[in-house]
Amino acid sequence: MFLDLTLEFAKSLDQNDPLKSFRQDFLFPTFHEKEVRYFTGNSLGLQPKNARKYILEELDDWEKFGVEGHFMSRRPWYSYHENLTDMMAKIVGAKPLEVVVTHSLTTNLHLLLVSFFEPKGKRTKILCEAKAFPSDQYALSSQIDFHGLNAENLVEIGPREGEHTIREEDIIDKINQLGDELALVMIGGVNYYTGQLFDMEAICAAGHAVGAKVGFDLAHAAGNVSLSLHDWGVDFAAWCGYKYLNSSPGGVSGFFVHERHANNNALPRFAGWWGHNKENRFEMKPGFQPISGAEGWQLSNAPILGMAAQLASIEVFERAGMDRISEKRTLLTSYLECVILNVSEKSKALCSFEIITPKDPKRRGSQLSILLHGKGKEVYDALTNRGVIADWREPNVIRVAPAPLYNSFEDCYWFGQHLEAAIQ
Ligand SMILES: *Cc1c(COP(=O)(O)O)cnc(C)c1O
């Protein structure tokens, strides 16, 4: 709880912030005549300063070596993705064998669903959260269609009447109720709309107890919250790189496959040559031999320019460390929450709003979702006019996500000032 909401106090919080210098590693948008306050790292992360340098290095090496760059460039393209593996594994709490950076999120989800959604006998159902991100809904329904099953096999769990977030106990009850009909639990680790962080460990244990597989979409969790995918025993997970992980617009993503599946060649799999044994890949012979671990699910050779941007960003994560990032995130989000609640109190005659994200810091990441009652879009537009970049979701929610690597307490202070003025 922060009682002092003055600019001086925000500045003193920044002074004492061990991660304050990391702001300098990123480029802030300059399109607005006002100073931009950027709160949409949950939608598109900012450009790391080194992204340009690393991409230019690859363009230089392409110019200099042409195809020989696969082996002769300073970071040979043949194995480029391996430069990212160890650092990415730390971000998601995994062993390097369990992680690979490749493709895009929805592509990866499909590849993993092919392997981990194996409906058999009466075990045919998928449990997901109600109002999951549309791409996930489409992916899951199309997988169900692909197996010739009817739509009832996609079971949704939502908030209770009059509530905004889903109760953990309701998820667990639903898993137990579905029991031996449940083939897969697939939930977003952090809900994109409310910012609710689910207890992935408990969900995973409950899913496994009834014999189901458990996977998570970590689009809003990777690089945002602390994860221990290996220890939790999650079967698989996928995330996008361009949100908290700043991999560039539409940039490369990554995924996780638990060690216990590393050498399970009985799993169905849609294969491609980049998943094939590295020793004899270029012999180009028939007969797919998957690499053990997550790399065995790769289809294609890596898009090097996109990989270069992702490398620039995760090197910053490596230097900052997820523990320190999480510590700052808790403090920064709590501070922003106090700022917003203070504005709500002062402005309640003009505009009423509430934060629908869980209050418990353990049940949320960086994002706070503000539900406005009444003139929401006008407030959002006025905020944008004042240089605040937040995110509007129909019907009436403004999402704000201070990213610990580059947002300051002062940014949050100014968010409050602009919100108050926008309501006026
Ligand atoms: C952002 C997001 C996506 C986007 O998928 P892409 O394949 O990267 O376009 C999918 N699912 C969730 C939960 C997301 O937050």
Side-chain angles (χ1 to χ4, degrees), residues 43-112:
S43 189
L44 178 64
L46 289 181
Q47 184 180 146
K49 275 194 187 147
N50 273 342
R52 180 183 304 264
K53 173 170 176 268
Y54 286 7
I55 290 171
L56 287 175
E57 285 174 3
E58 296 311 326
L59 290 175
D60 288 345
D61 286 355
W62 181 18
E63 177 183 349
K64 192 161 154 198
F65 300 116
V67 70
E68 299 302 336
H70 280 106
F71 297 99
M72 292 174 71
S73 58
R74 67 199 95 186
R75 298 182 198 92
W77 304 331
Y78 184 69
S79 52
Y80 195 100
H81 66 277
E82 293 170 17
N83 293 305
L84 297 110
T85 306
D86 290 12
M87 291 186 283
M88 191 60 89
K90 283 195 221 166
I91 292 173
V92 298
K95 297 188 176 181
L97 171 83
E98 298 172 316
V99 166
V100 67
V101 175
T102 186
H103 315 143
S104 59
L105 170 58
T106 309
T107 308
N108 287 334
L109 279 180
H110 275 301
L111 292 173
L112 295 164

Side-chain angles (χ1 to χ4, degrees), residues 380-397:
Y380 172 77
D381 291 341
L383 271 175
T384 310
N385 287 336
R386 303 178 69 88
V388 174
I389 312 302
D391 166 292
W392 175 254
R393 289 287 137 157
E394 294 294 338
N396 234 2
V397 162

Side-chain angles (χ1 to χ4, degrees), residues 4 30 45 67 82 168 200 202 214 248 251 301 368 377 380 423:
D4 187 344
T30 52
V67 70
E82 293 170 17
E168 305 275 355
M200 289 179 252
V214 181
S248 79
N301 71 98
L368 296 174
K377 195 70 191 343
Y380 172 77
I423 290 169

Side-chain angles (χ1 to χ4, degrees), residues 188-389:
V190 172
N191 181 272
Y192 83 99
Y193 188 74
T194 62
Q196 178 178 12
L197 165 61
F198 293 103
D199 185 342
M200 289 179 252
E201 186 174 16
I203 292 172
C204 189
H208 286 164
V210 300
K213 294 272 188 345
V214 181
F216 291 100
D217 182 330
L218 301 178
H220 283 267
N224 176 19
V225 297
S226 293
L227 299 164
S228 305
L229 297 180
H230 175 83
D231 290 347
W232 296 339
V234 172
D235 292 290
F236 70 92
W239 52 89
C240 36
Y242 53 78
K243 290 174 180 163
Y244 292 97
L245 292 170
N246 323 303
S247 77
S248 79
V252 289
S253 301
F255 64 83
F256 164 92
V257 173
H258 198 277
E259 187 178 36
R260 67 177 167 275
H261 303 299
N263 297 306
N264 182 356
N265 294 343
L267 288 173
R269 171 171 357 209
F270 284 175
W273 75 321
W274 229 249
H276 183 92
N277 182 355
K278 292 176 204 179
E279 306 301 318
N280 60 11
R281 183 185 286 149
F282 282 103
E283 290 171 16
M284 309 287 209
K285 291 207 182 110
F288 177 69
Q289 301 164 11
I291 306 171
S292 33
E295 281 189 78
W297 273 263
Q298 295 173 106
L299 297 181
S300 303
N301 71 98
I304 298 301
L305 303 184
M307 288 281 180
Q310 179 70 109
L311 180 62
S313 171
I314 64 171
E315 283 182 355
V316 183
F317 277 85
E318 175 78 5
R319 278 191 281 122
M322 270 321 283
D323 288 347
R324 289 200 297 169
I325 292 173
S326 285
E327 248 169 67
K328 176 170 175 188
R329 186 204 65 233
T330 306
L331 211 59
L332 193 63
T333 311
S334 302
Y335 175 72
L336 181 62
E337 182 182 36
C338 288
V339 167
I340 294 171
L341 293 176
N342 181 51
V343 176
S344 156
E345 190 53 36
K346 284 203 271 182
S347 317
K348 66 181 171 219
L350 290 169
C351 174
S352 103
F353 57 88
E354 60 183 307
I355 298 175
I356 59 172
T357 307
K359 290 187 177 53
D360 178 359
K362 291 196 185 64
R363 294 275 63 91
R364 69 184 183 203
S366 293
Q367 177 182 322
L368 296 174
S369 300
I370 307 170
L371 175 68
L372 294 111
H373 304 289
K375 50 173 186 178
K377 195 70 191 343
E378 286 102 307
V379 172
Y380 172 77
D381 291 341
L383 271 175
T384 310
N385 287 336
R386 303 178 69 88
V388 174
I389 312 302

